[in-house]
Each structure stands twice: as C-alpha cells, then as structure tokens.
Amino acid sequence: QLTKCLYLHSRWLFETMTVEPLQGQGVRLLPWPRLQSLFQLLGANWIFVSRNCPLTLGFNPQTYLTHDEFVEVLFCVLAELDKDAVAKDAQVIRPAAGRVKSKACTLL
C-alpha cells in the first residue's frame, strides 16, 4: 500500500516537504532530516533505513535531495515496510495442543 501511495502522490509529497527555492533557482530540494522524520512517523528507524537503502549511509544533516533521489530512497524503505506488513499478516496463530475453548481459535 505504501509503494502505491508513493507512486500516486510522490510529487505532491515532495513539494509539501521541500523548502522554497532561493530566488533565481527553480530547483526544490528536500532536507534529509525531514525525510528521516517521515520515516520515523512510518515506523522505520535509522537502522531499518540504512539496512534497506545503502545510499543513505553517505547522507548527513546538511544533505539535500532532489525529487529523483527522494523517490529512490523512499521507495527502498517503503517497499521493505510493505513486505514486513505482508509477512506479519501471513503469520498464522495456531492453538496449543489440547482442548480448544473457542471456535475462533480452530478457524485460525
């Protein structure tokens, strides 16, 4: 779901998170700390981000990203968050051996 959202709304999200360009410069750039904040809100800590997107290892607080870099980094992280969500949903809870007290447990 997150990667679909990125595909549909990446331009809007980038424009919302970027700083205004300086006069005479039409290029909007995104400060790396703002993207880190978004990752934190989505539940991806720094270790998760750096493990799934090695490109971020060279970033520092003064790093600014273009739209293409933003999409590349965000896609790496969101794709892994989506995979983790699917894996967690696929886990099946099995009742312990012995008597089952409810029909809901037997369905699982």
Side-chain angles (χ1 to χ4, degrees):
Q1 293 294 340
L2 293 171
T3 51
K4 288 179 187 176
C5 181
L6 175 64
Y7 176 76
L8 295 172
H9 304 291
S10 66
R11 179 63 62 185
W12 175 84
L13 185 59
F14 181 77
E15 300 271 332
T16 302
M17 295 180 67
T18 56
V19 293
E20 289 294 323
L22 298 173
Q23 290 182 352
Q25 296 179 348
V27 179
R28 296 180 71 100
L29 298 172
L30 174 66
W32 170 236
R34 288 190 186 182
L35 188 53
Q36 286 179 307
S37 297
L38 177 62
F39 288 146
Q40 290 291 323
L41 289 171
L42 294 173
N45 61 24
W46 172 242
I47 295 169
F48 182 88
V49 172
S50 61
R51 184 179 67 224
N52 293 302
C53 189
L55 174 68
T56 62
L57 294 176
F59 292 173
N60 63 49
Q62 287 77 35
T63 299
Y64 286 85
L65 293 99
T66 63
H67 179 261
D68 292 339
E69 293 168 328
F70 164 77
V71 170
E72 182 179 352
V73 170
L74 199 54
F75 181 80
C76 289
V77 175
L78 296 184
E80 287 303 315
L81 285 174
D82 279 348
K83 285 181 190 175
D84 286 351
V86 169
K88 287 178 184 173
D89 287 344
Q91 291 176 351
V92 176
I93 301 171
R94 302 197 187 284
R99 283 186 69 172
V100 176
K101 295 183 180 181
S102 74
K103 290 182 180 180
C105 289
T106 57
L107 293 175
L108 294 175

